[in-house]
Amino acid sequence: MNKSAFYQLSYGVYVVSTWDKGRAVGCTANSAMQITSDPATVAVSINHDNYTNQCIQDTGKFAISILGEHSDPGIIGTFGFRSSADHNKFEEVEQVLMECMPVVQDACAYIVCQVIDKMETSTHTVFLGKVLNADMLKKDDPMTYAYYHNVIKGKSPKNAPTYIGE
């Protein structure tokens, strides 16, 4: 199997966030998609090893910050290569509260969801969320995973669904 074929699927670059006992936490994700428009429902895939996974399960809510092509690329590293368990990522990245959820201020849009179901795979939890609110934050083209790799020259974190070892 040529796993490079998976790079041809369309992905975005997102920060999925929630709360941990009053502290904002989150991780970089590339697997988020709209499931239905009415009722508005989305899904995100979060690795079991990501601290954010358990926090979403505990709070039952999550926010998706959709990063734009002009968003600070350092945000991806801050949320993708460190654990919220021992690092306060939002100390380094400005946030706004939307529906009482932390959202990356430098994103082009956001979606806030209430978890309505989940599916477990061997490595990831797919959270299904009822959309509580969504809006644009700034005019920018959403960053695709291809843009992240080809223009920014970014790497995939080990916990990303698209990670392929060297």
Side-chain angles (χ1 to χ4, degrees):
M1 172 173 39
N2 182 352
K3 292 184 178 183
S4 296
F6 293 114
Y7 291 142
Q8 301 307 308
L9 288 171
S10 180
Y11 298 96
V13 182
Y14 317 100
V15 171
V16 177
S17 55
T18 191
W19 294 103
D20 175 35
K21 301 175 186 86
R23 181 176 65 98
V25 297
C27 64
T28 302
N30 64 355
S31 296
M33 65 180 170
Q34 182 177 349
I35 303 298
T36 61
S37 60
D38 189 20
T41 308
V42 299
V44 294
S45 177
I46 306 295
N47 191 291
H48 293 153
D49 292 338
N50 284 6
Y51 189 74
T52 304
N53 184 309
Q54 185 59 52
C55 295
I56 292 171
Q57 294 192 54
D58 291 345
T59 63
K61 289 177 78 175
F62 61 89
I64 303 169
S65 298
I66 302 168
L67 299 183
E69 290 181 355
H70 296 98
S71 294
D72 177 359
I75 294 169
I76 299 163
T78 296
F79 285 90
F81 294 95
R82 298 178 184 163
S83 173
S84 290
D86 53 24
H87 190 81
N88 187 347
K89 299 173 185 182
F90 279 100
E91 274 186 348
E92 299 171 32
V93 176
E94 290 187 47
Q95 66 176 307
V96 292
L97 293 180
M98 300 296 180
E99 297 291 320
C100 299
M101 294 299 291
V103 170
V104 173
Q105 186 169 336
D106 195 22
C108 63
Y110 72 90
I111 303 168
V112 175
C113 298
Q114 177 76 44
V115 175
I116 57 173
D117 206 349
K118 68 179 181 172
M119 179 183 76
E120 297 294 341
T121 72
S122 60
T123 58
H124 287 69
T125 304
V126 178
F127 293 99
L128 193 64
K130 172 185 167 188
V131 176
L132 302 175
N133 197 6
D135 204 353
M136 305 297 293
L137 292 172
K138 66 179 180 180
K139 187 170 176 55
D140 195 1
D141 290 326
M143 185 184 301
T144 64
Y145 207 55
Y147 182 92
Y148 171 67
H149 281 287
N150 297 329
V151 176
I152 296 177
K153 304 293 186 200
K155 303 286 186 204
S156 297
K158 188 179 115 193
N159 290 347
T162 55
Y163 175 79
I164 297 173
E166 299 298 325

